[in-house]
Amino acid sequence: MALIYIDDLKNHIAEEIKISGWLYNKRSSGKVRFLVIRDGTGILQCVMVKGIIQDDVFNLFDTITQETSLHVFGKIKKDDRAPGGFEMELTNIQIIAIAKEYPITPKEHGVEFLMDLRHLWLRSSRQHAILRIRHQIIKAIREFFDNRGFILMDAPIITPAACEGTSTLFETDYFDLGKAYLTQSGQLYGEAGAMAHGKIYVFGPTFRAEKSKTRRHLTEFWMVEPEVAFADLNDNMELAEEFLEHIVTSVLKYRSAELKTLERNISILEKVKKPFPRVSYSEAVEILKKEGIDFEWGNDFGGTDETIISEGFDRPVIVHRYPAKVKAFYMKRDPQNPDLALAMDVLAPEGYGEIIGGSQREDDFDLLVQRIKEHNLPQSAFDWYLDLRRYGSVPHAGFGLGVERTVGWICGLEHVRETIPFPRMIYRLTP
RNA sequence: UCCGCAGUAGCUCAAUGGUGGAGCAUCCGGCUGUUAACCGGAGGGUUGCAAGUUCGAAUCUUGCCUGCGGAGCCA
């Protein structure tokens, strides 16, 4: 017999059915008792009245504790008084396993306590909604690229050297070959893929060993990185805005119930339509100065700078053409001004900061060799990467989108630690 | 690594130098439509750890531990 799920109850009104789940909450007013069941797809209020149901079933109420697993049997009816709009008139209950005293009670808890119990916290309605939206975002990401002929190309997670040579990497011993590192970006491999397939995307976990202690940082996070051959900075910015529009539209369409659970103000999300405002780095610096910020041209923006810049716009804003010296070695210089890199960042509204970073890549062999030297990187480690310029180099561009920051923004969360099932942070390795 | 904040019952918090409490959770009792149900009762404490000041410390001082927020770095 196929399981019936709570989110499908509308097709089973007036039927006698079985629902399998866990006790979410229970209430009683003596002779009338309510069991609230969750089955992973929703919650269902079940009601029983003494004298109408068998006494031995009625009395099971006292032994069923929060999160006890059980089957409930009864007839489904519409009832506006019930959360979810449907109610089951109980005829029978089968207990599978009585739960021990459950630590997460239907009252407030602190984040530290809940994070220690993350494996159980995932069951509560808010976390449930967040992870369903995360799922939708990831689905929309894959859908977007798949529908446009991009090929998914997995990059290695264990790598021989830094991709960008700046961040601190997690290090491990690799047999007789010396040290290996966990990847901080699949991009360089993605460029190889773009030269083979035209347009690809890398989607995988990335790792940063920096001791970042902010609401925007995890040591392990997921990143999607498209890379397109024969594309320039403008193509890259257009791709990014169509991409973000698609993701947000998809979440609004398929996860409105979850956004409501999170009490997200969706009017802000509804404005995420292309074209996004575009400002150059220099214009962004002017915005900061107009707001009274003491900011020197040539520095990179900090978190608060990004917030101030994005506050002037009602949708994500693209900042382009950064000073080359604050950006990575592989970025192509602006032919109009060699001090600038053809880089672009997308800043999310409401202070969520940088969710996309990308650029047109340097495609000239000699210039790339020069950049590697300027950044004091070992050229031997990049010899394979230079091959991409030796053998049929073309203009190409791409970007990386941080999944957790995007989930945090769309859900309206305070901290990215709630956007991933089991966050890894500098002071948290468990559960 | 640096700066700031916090640590009291299983959980969330109160008590600011003078007898450590409340709500929730647990246990017992009551209630025929509850909505984080409600009402009555009970049990539950090395106030993060160590030292110091004081007649007296959860409260003041110092050190340590743990966590949170921010800076730097980045998505």
Side-chain angles (χ1 to χ4, degrees), chain A residues 363-378:
Chain A
D363 50 76
D364 182 90
F365 179 88
D366 294 325
L367 285 173
L368 191 55
V369 169
Q370 190 186 321
R371 302 281 179 258
I372 289 170
K373 279 183 186 150
E374 283 168 7
H375 283 77
N376 293 317
L377 297 169

Side-chain angles (χ1 to χ4, degrees), chain A residues 49 112 120 128 135 211 249 261-262 312 339 396 402 409 417 426:
Chain A
V49 178
E112 186 189 338
L120 301 177
H128 188 262
H135 164 76
K211 292 193 170 178
T249 303
T261 298
L262 299 173
D339 289 337
H396 61 292
W409 161 54
R417 65 189 157 199
I426 58 173

Side-chain angles (χ1 to χ4, degrees), chain A residues 82-239:
Chain A
F86 298 100
E87 189 170 74
M88 174 182 272
E89 289 172 348
L90 280 168
T91 54
N92 199 7
I93 297 167
Q94 273 178 16
I95 291 171
I96 302 168
I98 295 284
K100 303 240 185 311
E101 190 181 332
Y102 194 64
I104 303 177
T105 62
K107 278 279 179 185
E108 303 159 11
H109 299 284
V111 171
E112 186 189 338
F113 173 77
L114 290 168
M115 271 299 169
D116 285 339
L117 297 171
R118 182 62 173 169
H119 49 293
L120 301 177
W121 192 19
L122 297 176
R123 302 178 184 189
S124 56
S125 64
R126 226 182 122 72
Q127 301 307 313
H128 188 262
I130 292 168
L131 289 191
R132 292 201 155 210
I133 291 172
R134 178 189 173 96
H135 164 76
Q136 190 67 41
I137 288 169
I138 291 169
K139 189 175 170 185
I141 287 169
R142 300 183 61 125
E143 208 171 65
F144 178 84
F145 291 122
D146 293 349
N147 290 345
R148 286 166 176 249
F150 283 65
I151 296 297
L152 172 66
M153 200 195 78
D154 301 312
I157 288 167
I158 300 173
T159 62
C163 288
E164 303 178 19
T166 52
S167 303
T168 319
L169 303 180
F170 288 105
E171 189 182 281
T172 183
D173 289 321
Y174 199 80
F175 307 109
D176 296 333
L177 299 179
K179 298 290 183 193
Y181 306 86
L182 297 185
T183 185
Q184 61 168 336
S185 166
Q187 183 211 309
L188 302 192
Y189 297 99
E191 290 185 47
M195 298 307 134
H197 294 276
K199 42 190 178 180
I200 61 93
Y201 64 105
V202 177
F203 198 167
T206 47
F207 307 88
R208 305 279 164 92
E210 282 140 0
K211 292 193 170 178
S212 297
K213 242 178 100 45
T214 82
R215 70 184 68 197
R216 303 184 306 282
H217 288 89
L218 300 168
T219 55
E220 176 184 298
F221 63 99
W222 287 71
M223 192 153 67
V224 56
E225 301 175 282
E227 192 73 31
V228 183
F230 307 105
D232 62 15
L233 181 66
N234 265 323
D235 299 325
N236 208 28
M237 292 194 283
E238 265 176 47
L239 185 69

Side-chain angles (χ1 to χ4, degrees), chain A residues 166 281 296-300 321-329 331-333 337-343 371 374-375:
Chain A
T166 52
Y281 170 88
E296 193 182 334
W297 195 99
N299 292 335
D300 205 354
R321 292 180 173 80
Y322 282 72
K325 66 168 182 141
V326 303
K327 288 293 182 184
F329 76 92
M331 294 186 178
K332 191 175 179 65
R333 301 296 173 97
N337 180 351
D339 289 337
L340 298 176
L342 292 175
R371 302 281 179 258
E374 283 168 7
H375 283 77

